[in-house]
Amino acid sequence: MPESIIRLRDISKVYEEDIAALCDVSLDVMEKDFVSIVGRSGSGKTTLIKLLIGEEKPTAGEIVINGWDLCNIKSRKIPYFRREIGVVFQDFKLLQQKTVAENIAFALIVLGTPRQEIHKRVPGVLSLVGLSGKGTRFPNELSGGEQQRVAIARAFVHEPKLLLADELTGDLDAIYAWEIMEILLKINKMGTTVLIATHDKSIVNRLQKRVVTLEDGTIIRDHKKGRYVI
Ligand SMILES: Nc1ncnc2c1ncn2[C@@H]1O[C@H](COP(=O)(O)OP(=O)(O)OP(=O)(O)O)[C@@H](O)[C@H]1O
Ligand SMILES: [Mg+2]
């Protein structure tokens, strides 16, 4: 039986100056699910992702991710929690002085992975994202879409149980955006739960997966095989 890997109960997030970004959000995501979070600019998508990775704390409510109670987690435990998740940010956050392979390897080095294991995993994940042979390039020698693939490879190289991505395909042409989605679908088929926040209507409609719609910080729609309706 699949279990709930994301469990949110009555989450609210109020930033300073009384900006309520999320209000009474409850959400369950089952293991191996693929979920798109959609909503207008400012509806709270990025805030939700920040709460899911422990980068922000909720003002109220309960968050349990893969068994970790993020409202009560000790800061020394956060690195252990982070091993179980992978995150792709909109701006990739690639290290410009390191090659593609070094960028990916670095994610494993910080987790204390043995060198032999790193040598094995990096080519495997490069092939998964369609970048075999480009490991020795530097990020500025790649297209935007290729840099995105590196960011996915880096987020997935430790084979997390949950992969989160914020506006992954924002700046890409439709055809490249769908290729990126196909990588996420492959990763999902391998058993990783995937949650993306996106504005990309055609992608969401083509995915035919669960769609959760946020409006002004609350969930207004949650459909199993949803369409993008805002
Ligand atoms: N660090 C912050 N401090 C104060 N307010 C914030 C902060 N981050 C976000 N907000 C506010 O919280 C609300 C939700 O923002 P959020 O970034 O989560 O929206 P979003 O759905 O990701 O928008 P977009 O589609 O533009 O990325 C907005 O009103 C935003 O201005
Ligand atoms: Mg955002």
Side-chain angles (χ1 to χ4, degrees):
M1 268 289 282
E3 288 180 24
S4 158
I5 190 165
I6 295 178
R7 195 182 125 91
L8 302 184
R9 286 292 173 275
D10 304 319
I11 285 296
S12 293
K13 175 66 185 176
V14 180
Y15 288 110
E16 283 164 45
E17 300 166 30
D18 289 345
I19 298 167
L22 291 174
C23 187
D24 282 336
V25 168
S26 294
L27 178 73
D28 277 283
V29 174
M30 297 309 204
E31 273 186 17
K32 303 182 196 280
D33 250 5
F34 191 117
V35 184
S36 304
I37 306 287
V38 305
R40 289 201 177 91
S41 189
S43 58
K45 303 181 295 296
T46 297
T47 301
L48 184 67
I49 288 190
K50 285 184 176 167
L51 291 172
L52 296 177
I53 64 175
E55 196 179 307
E56 290 280 357
K57 289 248 179 226
T59 313
E62 217 182 281
I63 304 185
V64 181
I65 308 291
N66 202 26
W68 295 87
D69 173 358
L70 292 194
C71 296
N72 295 304
I73 191 171
K74 298 220 160 48
S75 33
R76 68 188 158 79
K77 293 280 185 192
I78 285 184
Y80 296 98
F81 158 66
R82 291 257 166 93
R83 279 173 199 206
E84 293 168 18
I85 60 170
V87 193
V88 189
F89 296 99
Q90 187 171 10
D91 56 359
F92 320 140
K93 297 194 197 309
L94 297 179
L95 303 166
Q96 297 299 322
Q97 315 305 329
K98 290 188 188 290
T99 64
V100 166
E102 286 166 352
N103 261 280
I104 299 168
F106 190 66
L108 291 173
I109 291 168
V110 296
L111 294 179
T113 312
R115 183 187 287 256
Q116 225 181 350
E117 181 74 18
I118 295 176
H119 283 306
K120 217 167 64 189
R121 285 199 181 210
V122 173
V125 81
L126 276 172
S127 151
L128 176 78
V129 301
L131 287 180
S132 292
K134 296 200 171 157
T136 54
R137 299 249 191 119
F138 285 90
N140 66 5
E141 296 167 344
L142 298 175
S143 72
E146 287 171 334
Q147 291 186 39
Q148 237 147 0
R149 288 162 190 256
V150 180
I152 296 172
R154 190 185 49 182
F156 186 67
V157 68
H158 60 298
E159 293 181 5
K161 291 192 74 173
L162 173 64
L163 187 78
L164 303 149
D166 194 5
E167 300 295 350
L168 192 56
T169 56
D171 302 325
L172 292 183
D173 290 346
I175 191 161
Y176 296 114
W178 183 250
E179 280 176 16
I180 295 278
M181 253 341 104
E182 284 181 322
I183 297 170
L184 294 192
L185 287 169
K186 228 187 316 179
I187 283 172
N188 181 235
K189 276 225 175 86
M190 291 163 75
T192 293
T193 311
V194 176
L195 181 140
I196 59 169
T198 182
H199 273 119
D200 196 325
K201 186 173 176 171
S202 58
I203 289 262
V204 171
N205 290 341
R206 191 164 170 188
L207 275 171
Q208 299 272 307
K209 299 278 189 189
R210 181 176 173 195
V211 180
V212 174
T213 309
L214 283 174
E215 187 176 288
D216 295 335
T218 59
I219 294 178
I220 57 157
R221 222 174 281 118
D222 184 347
H223 288 171
K224 218 171 172 187
K225 274 197 178 176
R227 291 187 64 77
Y228 189 103
V229 186
I230 288 178

